[in-house]
C-alpha cells in the first residue's frame, strides 16, 4: 500500500531501527546494542547515550545476541511508531530467554510517555530512561545490578548535554547532526512532543561551534543543526525560552537568535555545508532567510511543515498561523532565496476536517509546488489537547483516502520541481554508493534533491559539479563534470 511505502521512505531516510555502532575502534569490557526509531533528534540522542556509556566501559556491537545491554531509543509521535517499539521489545525478550543476564532498556519519548508501565505492568524492560535523564544511565545501571528498579523520566529545565561530545554512530563520516536545542513550547494540539521532551531550552552557542569545528577537523563535510523548532532558538546565558523576558539587560543585549547562530556556524566552518531542521512557520523570521541568502555554505533548503491548508483547521491545531500567512512566508522565501528547496509535513484527517478543508490542503500544495514532503494521517495521542477536547471523528478510510490524494498531488508537484534541474549543472556532495548500483554514487544538491551519477574516480565526501541529464520521480540522474573540492 502507498501508506506503507511512504512509511518506508521516511524510515529509509532516517535509518530507522538499524543497530547503531561506533565508527573507528572504541573498546570496552561490556557490550551495548542500541537501536533508534523516530526523528533525527533520537539518532542524535543515541550518540550522546553511546558517549555516556562509553565512559562507563561499554563498546557498541551490531550483534544483539552478544550484548550485555540492549537499548531502544523510541518514538511516540504516532500510534504506529509505538506499536513498532512494542513488537521490537517482544523480539528482544525472546532473545533474552537464551541470555537472562542481558538487560533491556527503553529510552526516549515512549519511555517518557508510558513511564514505568513497560517495566511494572508489561514486564518488557529492565530500564526506563526519559530524554533528559541520559546522564543518569551509569547510576541506573548500577541500581539495576543491585536489584533495584531503574527508572528516571524526570524532565529537566536545563539539560542540553552541551558538554558531551557525541560518539558518531553508524553514519557515513560525511554528514552529521548537531543538536542545538531541546523540547518544544508550541503545544500544537495533535502533538505529543511537548509532553515527552519538555520545555524548550537552547544550547550554549560556543559548544555548538566547538562541535562543528571538531567535525570539520575529523573530515565531515556537512552538518544539520537540529531542534524541534529551530527558529525559536534563543541563547541568553542559559534558561528557558519562556523566561527570556525576566533576563537582565546585559543578557538580552548579548542574546543569540537562530539567525545569529546560523551565521556564526557558517563563518566558523566555511568549507562545510550547513542545513537545519525543523522550521515552523509561526516562528520563522526574515533574518533567518537573509542569513541563508548571505552565506553560500548555508544550503538553500527549508523544511517548513504546514499540516493543513485550512485556516479553520490550523486554528484548531494551535499552529499560530493562517493559510495566508503561510503563503506569504513562502513568497518571502522565494523572493529572498532564489530557487530554495522547500519541503513540508501534512496531517490528513485531523478532527472535524471537512472535504472543503482537505481541498484547501491540496490547493495549497499546488500553489506552493513543494519539492517533497512527509505525509501522515492523524493519529490521536493520549493527553494532547486534541485527544482531550476533540473527537477523532474522521473514519480511517476517509483519512487514508485523503492521504492518498495528498501523496498523489505531492508526487506530481515533486516531479515537476525536479524537472527544473534537468539540463543544469548541480553541485553535489557525494554521500555514498547508490543503492541500485555499485558503479554509481549518490549525493544531494544544495536544495536537498538526490543526485545519482557514474562513479568514475570520484569518492564519498567529494563536492562534484554534475551535469543533470534526466530525472526519475524522486531522483536526478547526471554525469560528473569536475571536482570542486575533495
Ligand atoms: N517540530 C518537530 C515535529 C515533530 S513531529 C520536528 O522536528 O519535525 C513530525 C511531524 O509528524 C509533524 O510535523 C506532523 O506532521 C506529524 N505528526 C505529529 N503528531 C502527529 C499525530 N498525532 N498524528 C499524525 N501526524 C503527526
Ligand atoms: Fe510538535 Fe508543534 Fe512542537 S508539531 S514538536 S508541538 S512545533
Amino acid at each position: 500500500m502507498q501508506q506503507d511505502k511512504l512509511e518506508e521512505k521516511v524510515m529509509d531516510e532516517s535509518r530507522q531501527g538499524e543497530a547503531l555502532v561506533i565508527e573507528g575502534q572504541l573498546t570496552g569490557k561490556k557490550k551495548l546494542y542500541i537501536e533508534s526509531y523516530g526523528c533525527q533528534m533520537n539518532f542524535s540522542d543515541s550518540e550522546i547515550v553511546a558517549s555516556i556509556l562509553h565512559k562507563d566501559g561499554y563498546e557498541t556491537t551490531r550483534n544483539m545476541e552478544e550484548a550485555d545491554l540492549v537499548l531502544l531509543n523510541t518514538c511516540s509521535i504516532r500510534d504506529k511508531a509505538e506499536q513498532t517499539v512494542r513488537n521490537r521489545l517482544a523480539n528482544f525478550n525472546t532473545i533474552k530467554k537464551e541470555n537472562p543476564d542481558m538487560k533491556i532498556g527503553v529510552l526516549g519519548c515512549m519511555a517518557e510517555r508510558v513511564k514505568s508501565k513497560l517495566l511494572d505492568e508489561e514486564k518488557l524492560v529492565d530500564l526506563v530512561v526519559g530524554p533528559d535523564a541520559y546522564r543518569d544511565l551509569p547510576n541506573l545501571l548500577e541500581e539495576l545490578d543491585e536489584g533495584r528498579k531503574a527508572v528516571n523520566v524526570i524532565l529537566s529545565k536545563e539539560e542540553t548535554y552541551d558538554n558531551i561530545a557525541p560518539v558518531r554512530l553508524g553514519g557515513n563520516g560525511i554528514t552529521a547532526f548537531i543538536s542545538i536545542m531541546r523540547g518544544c513550547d508550541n503545544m500544537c494540539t495533535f502533538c505529543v512532543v511537548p509532553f515527552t521532551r519538555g520545555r524548550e531550552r537552547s544550547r550554549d552557542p560556543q559548544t555548538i561551534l566547538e562541535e562543528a569545528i571538531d567535525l570539520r577537523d575529523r573530515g565531515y563535510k556537512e552538518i544539520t543543526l537540529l531542534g524541534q523548532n529551530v527558529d525559536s532558538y534563543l541563547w541568553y546565558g542559559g534558561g528557558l525560552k519562556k523566561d527570556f523576558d525576566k533576563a537582565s539587560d546585559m543578557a538580552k543585549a548579548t542574546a543569540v537568535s537562530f539567525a545569529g547562530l546560523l551565521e556564526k556556524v557558517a563563518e566558523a566552518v566555511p568549507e562545510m555545508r550547513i542545513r537545519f531542521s525543523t522550521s515552523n512557520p509561526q516562528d520563522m523570521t526574515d533574518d533567518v532567510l537573509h542569513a541563508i541568502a548571505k552565506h553560500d555554505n548555508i544550503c538553500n533548503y527549508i523544511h517548513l511543515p504546514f499540516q493543513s491548508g485550512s485556516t479553520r483547521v490550523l486554528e484548531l491545531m494551535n499552529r499560530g498561523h493562517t493559510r495566508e500567512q503561510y503563503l506569504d512566508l513562502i513568497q518571502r522565501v522565494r523572493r529572498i532565496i532564489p530557487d530554495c528547496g522547500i519541503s513540508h509535513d501534512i496531517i490528513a484527517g485531523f478532527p472535524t476536517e471537512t472535504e472543503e478543508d482537505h481541498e484547501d490542503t491540496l490547493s495549497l500544495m499546488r500553489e506552493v509546488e513543494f519539492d517533497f514532503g512527509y505525509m501522515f494521517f492523524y493519529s490521536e495521542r493520549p493527553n494532547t489537547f486534541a485527544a482531550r477536547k476533540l473527537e477523532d471523528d474522521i473514519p480511517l478510510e476517509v483519512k487514508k483516502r485523503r492521504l492518498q490524494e495528498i501523496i498523489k498531488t505531492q508526487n506530481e508537484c515533486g516531479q515537476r520541481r525536479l524537472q527544473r534541474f534537468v539540463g543544469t549543472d548541480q553541485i553535489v556532495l557525494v554521500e555514498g554508493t547508490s543503492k541500485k548500483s555499485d558503479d554509481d554514487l549518490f549525493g544531494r544538491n544544495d536544495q536537498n534533491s538526490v543526485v545519482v551519477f557514474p562513479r568514475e574516480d570520484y569518492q564519498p565526501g567529494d563536492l562534484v559539479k554534475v551535469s543533470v541529464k534526466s530525472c526519475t520521480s524522486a531522483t536526478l540522474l547526471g554525469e560528473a563534470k569536475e571536482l570542486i573540492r575533495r
Side-chain angles (χ1 to χ4, degrees), residues 77 184-188 190-194 228-229 280 282 307 319:
I77 200 78
C184 185
D185 283 353
N186 272 8
M187 296 302 265
C188 302
F190 52 80
C191 185
V192 78
V193 170
Q228 302 296 340
N229 182 13
N280 277 286
Q282 62 270 50
Q307 319 297 1
R319 285 294 285 180

CSV table of all heavy atoms in Angstrom, one decimal, residues 77 184-188 190-194 228-229 280 282 307 319, ligand 2:
chain,number,residue,atom,x,y,z
A,77,ILE,N,5.3,9.5,18.3
A,77,ILE,CA,4.7,10.6,17.6
A,77,ILE,C,3.3,10.1,17.0
A,77,ILE,O,2.4,10.8,17.0
A,77,ILE,CB,5.6,11.2,16.5
A,77,ILE,CG1,5.1,12.5,16.0
A,77,ILE,CG2,5.8,10.3,15.3
A,77,ILE,CD1,5.4,13.6,17.0
A,184,CYS,N,10.0,21.6,23.2
A,184,CYS,CA,9.2,22.5,22.4
A,184,CYS,C,8.1,23.1,23.2
A,184,CYS,O,7.4,22.4,24.0
A,184,CYS,CB,8.6,21.7,21.2
A,184,CYS,SG,7.7,22.8,20.1
A,185,ASP,N,7.9,24.4,23.0
A,185,ASP,CA,6.8,25.1,23.8
A,185,ASP,C,5.6,25.4,22.9
A,185,ASP,O,4.7,26.1,23.4
A,185,ASP,CB,7.4,26.5,24.3
A,185,ASP,CG,8.3,26.3,25.5
A,185,ASP,OD1,8.4,25.2,26.0
A,185,ASP,OD2,8.9,27.3,25.9
A,186,ASN,N,5.6,24.9,21.7
A,186,ASN,CA,4.5,25.3,20.8
A,186,ASN,C,3.1,24.7,21.1
A,186,ASN,O,2.1,25.4,20.8
A,186,ASN,CB,4.9,25.1,19.4
A,186,ASN,CG,5.6,26.2,18.8
A,186,ASN,OD1,6.0,27.1,19.5
A,186,ASN,ND2,5.8,26.2,17.5
A,187,MET,N,3.1,23.6,21.7
A,187,MET,CA,1.8,23.0,22.0
A,187,MET,C,0.8,22.9,20.9
A,187,MET,O,-0.4,23.3,21.0
A,187,MET,CB,1.1,23.7,23.2
A,187,MET,CG,2.0,23.6,24.5
A,187,MET,SD,2.3,21.9,25.0
A,187,MET,CE,1.0,21.7,26.2
A,188,CYS,N,1.3,22.4,19.7
A,188,CYS,CA,0.3,22.0,18.6
A,188,CYS,C,-0.6,21.0,19.2
A,188,CYS,O,-0.1,20.1,19.9
A,188,CYS,CB,1.0,21.5,17.4
A,188,CYS,SG,2.3,22.7,16.8
A,190,PHE,N,-2.2,18.4,18.3
A,190,PHE,CA,-2.1,17.0,18.0
A,190,PHE,C,-0.8,16.3,18.5
A,190,PHE,O,-0.7,15.1,18.4
A,190,PHE,CB,-2.1,16.8,16.5
A,190,PHE,CG,-1.1,17.7,15.7
A,190,PHE,CD1,0.2,17.3,15.7
A,190,PHE,CD2,-1.5,18.9,15.2
A,190,PHE,CE1,1.1,18.1,15.0
A,190,PHE,CE2,-0.6,19.7,14.5
A,190,PHE,CZ,0.8,19.3,14.5
A,191,CYS,N,0.1,17.1,19.1
A,191,CYS,CA,1.5,16.7,19.2
A,191,CYS,C,1.9,16.3,20.6
A,191,CYS,O,1.6,17.0,21.6
A,191,CYS,CB,2.4,17.8,18.7
A,191,CYS,SG,4.1,17.2,18.6
A,192,VAL,N,2.6,15.1,20.7
A,192,VAL,CA,2.9,14.6,22.0
A,192,VAL,C,4.3,15.1,22.4
A,192,VAL,O,4.7,15.0,23.6
A,192,VAL,CB,2.9,13.0,21.9
A,192,VAL,CG1,4.2,12.5,21.2
A,192,VAL,CG2,2.7,12.3,23.2
A,193,VAL,N,5.1,15.7,21.5
A,193,VAL,CA,6.4,16.1,21.8
A,193,VAL,C,6.6,17.1,23.0
A,193,VAL,O,7.5,16.8,23.9
A,193,VAL,CB,7.1,16.8,20.6
A,193,VAL,CG1,8.5,17.4,20.9
A,193,VAL,CG2,7.3,15.7,19.5
A,194,PRO,N,5.7,18.1,23.2
A,194,PRO,CA,5.9,18.9,24.4
A,194,PRO,C,5.8,18.1,25.7
A,194,PRO,O,6.4,18.5,26.7
A,194,PRO,CB,4.8,20.0,24.3
A,194,PRO,CG,4.5,20.0,22.8
A,194,PRO,CD,4.7,18.6,22.3
A,228,GLN,N,13.4,20.8,17.6
A,228,GLN,CA,12.0,20.6,17.3
A,228,GLN,C,11.5,21.8,16.6
A,228,GLN,O,10.5,21.8,15.8
A,228,GLN,CB,11.2,20.3,18.5
A,228,GLN,CG,11.6,19.0,19.3
A,228,GLN,CD,11.4,17.8,18.5
A,228,GLN,OE1,10.7,17.7,17.5
A,228,GLN,NE2,12.2,16.8,18.9
A,229,ASN,N,12.1,23.0,16.9
A,229,ASN,CA,11.6,24.3,16.4
A,229,ASN,C,12.8,25.2,16.4
A,229,ASN,O,12.9,26.1,17.2
A,229,ASN,CB,10.5,24.7,17.4
A,229,ASN,CG,9.9,26.0,17.0
A,229,ASN,OD1,10.0,26.5,15.9
A,229,ASN,ND2,9.1,26.6,17.9
A,280,ASN,N,9.4,26.1,11.9
A,280,ASN,CA,7.9,26.3,12.0
A,280,ASN,C,7.5,27.6,11.5
A,280,ASN,O,8.1,28.6,11.9
A,280,ASN,CB,7.5,26.0,13.4
A,280,ASN,CG,7.4,24.5,13.7
A,280,ASN,OD1,6.4,23.9,13.2
A,280,ASN,ND2,8.3,24.0,14.4
A,282,GLN,N,5.3,29.8,12.2
A,282,GLN,CA,4.9,30.8,13.1
A,282,GLN,C,6.1,31.4,13.8
A,282,GLN,O,6.1,32.5,14.4
A,282,GLN,CB,3.9,30.3,14.2
A,282,GLN,CG,4.4,29.2,15.1
A,282,GLN,CD,4.1,27.8,14.5
A,282,GLN,OE1,4.4,27.5,13.4
A,282,GLN,NE2,3.5,26.9,15.3
A,307,GLN,N,1.0,21.3,7.8
A,307,GLN,CA,0.0,20.4,8.4
A,307,GLN,C,-1.4,20.5,7.8
A,307,GLN,O,-2.0,19.5,7.6
A,307,GLN,CB,-0.2,20.7,10.0
A,307,GLN,CG,1.1,20.9,10.7
A,307,GLN,CD,2.0,19.8,10.8
A,307,GLN,OE1,1.8,18.7,10.2
A,307,GLN,NE2,3.2,19.9,11.4
A,319,ARG,N,-1.7,26.1,15.5
A,319,ARG,CA,-0.4,26.3,14.8
A,319,ARG,C,0.1,27.8,14.8
A,319,ARG,O,1.2,28.0,14.4
A,319,ARG,CB,-0.6,25.8,13.3
A,319,ARG,CG,-0.6,24.4,13.2
A,319,ARG,CD,0.7,23.7,13.5
A,319,ARG,NE,1.7,23.9,12.5
A,319,ARG,CZ,3.0,23.4,12.6
A,319,ARG,NH1,3.4,22.7,13.7
A,319,ARG,NH2,3.8,23.6,11.6
B,2,LIG,FE1,5.1,19.2,17.9
B,2,LIG,FE2,4.3,21.6,17.1
B,2,LIG,FE3,6.5,21.4,18.6
B,2,LIG,S1,4.5,19.7,15.9
B,2,LIG,S2,7.3,19.4,18.2
B,2,LIG,S3,4.4,20.9,19.2
B,2,LIG,S4,6.1,22.8,16.8
